[in-house]
Amino acid sequence: MDLTEHHDDRPGAPAGVPGPPALLVPYVLALTVLAAVALCAVTATNRWGALLASPALVPAVLLGAAAVAGELRPLAIPRASHAHEAVAVSTPFVLALVPVAGLGPALLVQLAASLADDLRQRRGLLKTAFNSSQYVLSISVCGAVLGALDGRGVLDGPLDVGPRDLLPLLAAGLAMVLTNRLLVAGVVAVASGAPLLLVLRDDVRWSFTSQVVLLSLGALAAELAGTGVVALVLLCLPVAAIHVTTAVAYQHVRDASKDPLTGLGNRERLFDELEAALRSGRDAGVVVLDLDHFKDVNDSLGHPVGDELLRAVAARLVAGQDREQDREQDRDAVVCRLGGDEFAVVVPDGGPAAAEAAAHRLQEALQEPVRIGALELLVRSSAGVASAPDHGADAATLVKNADVALYRAKLERDGTAVYSPDLSVNSVERLSLLADLRGAIGTGDLAVAYQPQVDLATGRLDAVEALVRWNHPVLGPVPPDRFIPLAENSGLIAGVTAHVLDTGLAALARWRADGHDLRLAVNLSARHLSDLALPARVTAALAAHGVPAGSLVLEVTETGLLADPARAQEVVAALRALGTSVSVDDYGTGHASLGYLRGLEVDELKIDRSFVGAMLTDATDHVIVRSTVQLAHDLGLRVVAEGIEDAATVEALRTLGCRVGQGYHLGRPTTSQEIGDRLVAERLPRVPTQASTTPAGG
Ligand code: C2E
Ligand code: CA
Ligand code: CA
C-alpha cells in the first residue's frame, strides 16, 4: 500500500521507527491496539465465502500477488539531491482489492506483504508493529470511506466495479494515503521531536504526485479486474516501466551528489544534509576537516598515491563515525568530501559539544598510519567546528564559519578549533598575509639575515645562523614568528626553507671563497622532518654552491622531533649521513626526554634563550644551563648558548665550559656583507678580547 519509511540516509529522517524517545512506545502501542480491534472487527464480519465462490477470485489472487510484489520492491522516488522516498507499489493493488475481493482479503494481503517485508529487512518488533498497525488502520479507513460513498458493503465480498465507482474509489484511496501519511508523520515527529506539521509539509510536498498516479492506477485495476486476468496483466507493464525509469532517475540523482573519487557525498550533499537537520529545528553542527601537508604527498609521491590516500582517509572517516553510531542509530553523521583534501561531517544534533566530539573522533580515526602499497603514510589533520544556532542559522554560514575555525586550528596547530566570531577578523588578515607571502617567495621581499655564533674563548665567528626576513611592501618588516607558522601550515614552508638554504649557501660560498671557514646554520620546520626527500634536496643545494656538507648545520626543534619520532629519526639519520650536522634548537623548551635525544643521535644542542637570558638572576635556570652543558659534553655534542645579551653571561658560560654563544651582545642578525666585513676584520692583527664581539647592526 504505502510508504512505511523514508529510505534515505539523512540525519534527520529516522529509518522507519527509530530508537528511544519516550513517547514512541506509547504511540506505537496505542496504534497497535486500535489496529488489532479493527482487524478483529473486519475479519469477524467479512463474508469470506462470497469471494471463494466468485469469478473475481482469480483476478483477486493476481492483484494480491502484485500487491505483495509491490511491497517487496518499493519505488525509489528521488526526493532531495541524495535522499529518496521508498514508495511501496502495493498501494494501487490493495486499493483495487478492497472492492474486487472485499475489505477482509485486502487487509490480510497487505498485512502479509508488510510482515514479509519487515521480516526480510529484519526490522525490530517496534517497527514491525508500527508498520502493520498503520496499514490495518489506513486500509480500514479506506474501506469505511468507500462504503460510505458507494453505499455498498465492502465486507460483503466482491463488488462489480463500474465507471461510476471510480471517483469514490479514488476518494477512498486518498483517505487511505492520508491516514497513512498522518500516522507516519506522527511517528517521525515523536521520534525526532520535530513539529508534526513540519514533517507533514515536507512529506506531502514530495510524495503527493506519486501517490495520485498510483491511486489512479489502482482505480483502473479495480475496473479492469471485472474484465478478467489479461487486462490486469497488461496493466502491470506500465507499473514495471515506472519502476525502471524511477530507478534510473534515482541513480542519476545519487551520482550527482557523490564524490566520484571516494564515493562519499559531495558539497551539495553536505548542504542538503545540513539544511535538513536545521529544518527539523535541531542544533546541527558541521565539522570541516583538512589533511595537513597533503600537497606534499601529491607532489612527492604522485597523484595516484594522493588519490589512494584520499580514498583510504575517506574509508577511515566513515568507519570512525560508524563505530560511534552503533549506539545511536538514528543520529548518523554523514561524511562528505568537499574537494581536495577537505572533508566535512554533518553532526545532526547536540550543538558545539557534539560537533567537537565528532571532530575528535574523526582525527582519532586517522591516528594509525595509512598503508598504501609499500608506503606507510602518517596522516595528520586539522578540524574546524561550527554549530547552530550560535555560529550560524543556515548551512552556508555554518560551513563558512567551520572553515574559519579550521583555519585557526591550522595556525595554532591545535588539531581542532571551534568557531568564535573574533576568529573571523583575524583570519581575513592572516589569509591576506598568506597570499602575500606566496608572492614574496622568490622575489626580493624575502631576505636572509645572519646572526653570529661566536667562539666564547677566542671571540671569533664560529658560525652564523640564517634567519629569514620579510620586508612586506605595505606592512614593513613582518617578524618570522608571525609568518613562519602560517607558512608551516599552508605548505609554503618548503619554499621558504629552500629560499633560505639557497641564499645562505650562496653567502657561505662567497665567504669561503674569501678564505673564511665557518658553519652556516639553517632552521628546519617540524614538517621537514617527515619529508624523506629532504636529504636529496639538501645534497643538491650543497652541490649547487660547492659547499661541503660538514659546513651546514640544520636546526630542528624538540617538538619537531617528537611530532613523528620514527620518521624524524629516519630523516635526521639521512641528513647526518650526508655529513651535515643536526642541532636541537630551543633545547629545554620541548618535552623530549634525555634518553630519547640520545637515541636520536644529533650533533649539537642549542640551549634556549629563556634559560640563558635568566641564568644570572634565576638559580634554577643556572642549574639547567650548567647541566645541559655537562650533558652535551658527556654525550660528545657541541653546545651553543642562545640569547646572550651581556658580557657577564658570556663570562658565566665560559666558566661552565660552554664554547659557543649567540646573542645580541655577540652580534645581532645582519647582512652577509657585514658578516663578510667582520670575518675580514677578525683576520687583522688586534688587541685580544672585546674587539671581535662588537655587536653588529640588525
Ligand atoms: P630561533 O631559531 O630560536 O632564532 C633565534 C631568534 O632569537 C631570532 O629571532 C633572533 O633574532 C633572536 N635572538 C638572537 N639573539 C637574541 C638575544 O640576545 N635576545 C633575544 N631576546 N633574542 C635573540 P627571529 O629572527 O625573530 O626568529 C624567530 C624564530 O623564527 C626563530 O627562532 C626560528 O624559530 C624562526 N625562524 C627564523 N628564520 C627561520 C627560517 O628561515 N626557517 C624557519 N623554519 N624558521 C625560522
Ligand atoms: Ca634556530
Ligand atoms: Ca632557538
Side-chain angles (χ1 to χ4, degrees):
M1 162 174 197
D2 192 23
L3 143 165
T4 31
E5 38 190 301
H6 299 264
H7 270 270
D8 56 15
D9 27 17
R10 299 175 3 184
V17 184
L23 279 176
L24 195 60
V25 175
Y27 177 82
V28 174
L29 213 65
L31 290 189
T32 311
V33 171
L34 265 178
V37 171
L39 188 64
C40 289
V42 169
T43 38
T45 48
N46 193 80
R47 278 184 56 214
W48 300 93
L51 173 64
L52 295 177
S54 142
L57 183 61
V58 179
V61 169
L62 199 72
L63 283 172
V68 174
E71 179 76 29
L72 296 179
R73 290 293 310 266
L75 260 183
I77 309 269
R79 193 171 156 139
S81 60
H82 55 276
H84 73 280
E85 178 126 22
V87 176
V89 202
S90 55
T91 315
F93 304 114
V94 170
L95 177 64
L97 269 178
V98 174
V100 169
L103 187 57
L107 254 183
L108 291 190
V109 163
Q110 178 63 71
L111 203 57
S114 167
L115 283 173
D117 188 44
D118 289 342
L119 211 67
R120 197 179 54 128
Q121 309 274 357
R122 295 168 196 267
R123 294 198 179 100
L125 191 66
L126 203 64
K127 265 184 204 181
T128 307
F130 171 77
N131 287 342
S132 305
S133 309
Q134 63 91 357
Y135 273 135
V136 168
L137 291 174
S138 37
I139 298 173
S140 302
V141 168
C142 170
V145 171
L146 186 63
L149 292 179
D150 208 59
R152 294 190 285 178
V154 282
L155 293 165
D156 295 341
L159 304 173
D160 281 335
V161 182
R164 66 182 182 83
D165 299 311
L166 287 183
L167 279 182
L169 246 177
L170 265 180
L174 224 50
M176 168 168 75
V177 167
L178 280 178
T179 310
N180 169 260
R181 308 306 297 195
L182 209 64
L183 296 179
V184 171
V187 90
V188 172
V190 165
S192 68
L196 179 66
L197 273 177
L198 215 93
V199 181
L200 261 180
R201 195 190 60 191
D202 211 31
D203 207 47
V204 164
R205 196 165 41 158
W206 289 105
S207 57
F208 190 73
T209 353
S210 54
Q211 292 301 337
V212 168
V213 172
L214 287 176
L215 290 176
S216 328
L217 275 176
L220 213 60
E223 180 156 7
L224 286 178
T227 69
V229 186
V230 181
L232 272 185
V233 171
L234 287 180
L235 187 65
C236 289
L237 291 179
V239 175
I242 292 174
H243 234 289
V244 172
T245 45
T246 48
V248 170
Y250 177 60
Q251 196 52 46
H252 280 308
V253 168
R254 268 197 98 87
D255 289 348
S257 68
K258 237 189 195 170
D259 165 45
L261 180 69
T262 59
L264 297 178
N266 59 11
R267 185 175 280 273
E268 279 78 59
R269 170 89 192 270
L270 176 83
F271 276 72
D272 283 340
E273 296 290 356
L274 202 49
E275 289 293 356
L278 290 170
R279 259 203 312 279
S280 68
R282 288 177 290 160
D283 291 345
V286 62
V287 179
V288 176
L289 183 120
D290 186 286
L291 305 185
D292 299 341
H293 322 321
F294 175 72
K295 199 179 163 298
D296 292 353
V297 173
N298 244 355
D299 290 352
S300 53
L301 301 174
H303 288 272
V305 174
D307 286 355
E308 201 55 51
L309 179 65
L310 289 175
R311 272 193 288 268
V313 165
R316 286 276 185 89
L317 295 179
V318 170
Q321 288 300 322
D322 283 353
R323 214 170 310 137
E324 190 59 21
Q325 277 145 31
D326 289 346
R327 283 189 268 125
E328 258 192 288
Q329 289 208 332
D330 59 312
R331 295 271 182 270
D332 43 349
V334 173
V335 185
C336 300
R337 175 168 169 249
L338 297 182
D341 58 347
E342 206 171 77
F343 295 83
V345 173
V346 175
V347 185
D349 204 357
E356 202 182 348
H360 289 308
R361 257 184 341 256
L362 290 169
Q363 294 186 310
E364 257 161 48
L366 298 177
Q367 276 302 321
E368 293 285 303
V370 174
R371 192 167 263 293
I372 293 170
L375 288 170
E376 209 169 65
L377 297 175
L378 217 90
V379 183
R380 289 284 167 265
S381 63
S382 309
V385 171
S387 156
D390 291 357
H391 308 150
D394 58 281
T397 312
L398 283 174
V399 172
K400 191 192 96 216
N401 287 342
D403 259 330
V404 169
L406 166 68
Y407 184 61
R408 164 52 58 99
K410 288 217 167 244
L411 285 183
E412 310 286 312
R413 292 182 259 180
D414 235 11
T416 302
V418 179
Y419 176 77
S420 89
D422 57 296
L423 292 184
S424 303
V425 186
N426 232 319
S427 301
V428 171
E429 193 184 291
R430 290 185 194 221
L431 264 181
S432 76
L433 201 60
L434 196 62
D436 294 346
L437 179 60
R438 205 180 293 274
I441 299 173
T443 72
D445 289 350
L446 218 53
V448 178
Y450 304 88
Q451 184 173 30
Q453 289 182 5
V454 173
D455 183 325
L456 296 179
T458 64
R460 298 172 79 95
L461 273 185
D462 204 33
V464 290
E465 178 178 1
L467 294 162
V468 69
R469 293 291 174 262
W470 182 15
N471 198 8
H472 191 282
V474 180
L475 302 172
V478 182
D481 288 336
R482 243 185 98 196
F483 69 86
I484 292 288
L486 275 179
E488 284 175 339
N489 291 307
S490 62
L492 286 183
I493 191 66
V496 173
T497 304
H499 178 74
V500 173
L501 190 64
D502 188 58
T503 313
L505 287 174
L508 181 58
R510 285 196 301 274
W511 298 321
R512 288 174 58 84
D514 291 342
H516 307 292
D517 189 20
L518 74 167
R519 295 185 305 275
L520 172 82
V522 171
N523 291 286
L524 292 184
S525 285
R527 57 178 306 183
H528 290 118
L529 291 173
S530 56
D531 181 2
L532 292 172
L534 181 72
R537 281 204 289 271
V538 170
T539 309
L542 286 167
H545 295 284
V547 170
S551 299
L552 182 64
V553 181
L554 294 169
E555 295 190 5
V556 301
T557 60
E558 278 170 61
T559 349
L561 292 170
L562 291 177
D564 181 358
R567 181 68 73 87
Q569 187 127 14
E570 205 177 333
V571 174
V572 165
L575 289 171
R576 296 185 76 225
L578 300 178
T580 61
S581 36
V582 172
S583 169
V584 181
D585 201 357
D586 303 344
Y587 181 78
T589 57
H591 304 283
S593 73
L594 297 178
Y596 169 70
L597 284 175
R598 182 136 126 241
L600 190 70
E601 307 215 337
V602 293
D603 306 272
E604 178 183 292
L605 297 186
K606 287 186 85 175
I607 312 178
D608 190 65
R609 59 176 179 268
S610 59
F611 305 114
V612 175
M615 67 180 281
L616 294 183
T617 50
D618 188 315
T620 316
D621 286 343
H622 191 273
V623 171
I624 291 175
V625 172
R626 191 182 65 206
S627 39
T628 308
V629 171
Q630 188 64 47
L631 170 83
H633 286 165
D634 290 351
L635 295 176
L637 305 179
R638 186 167 54 225
V639 59
V640 180
E642 280 193 291
I644 302 174
E645 296 185 343
D646 49 44
T649 309
V650 172
E651 207 39 56
L653 285 163
R654 226 182 339 215
T655 313
L656 293 178
C658 178
R659 275 199 48 237
V660 188
Q662 178 179 349
Y664 292 165
H665 177 70
L666 303 171
R668 290 191 175 249
T670 183
T671 60
S672 67
Q673 179 63 46
E674 287 204 23
I675 295 289
D677 293 349
R678 186 165 161 174
L679 285 166
V680 170
E682 277 180 359
R683 286 199 163 172
L684 302 176
R686 64 206 153 108
V687 245
T689 73
Q690 307 273 315
S692 60
T693 61
T694 313

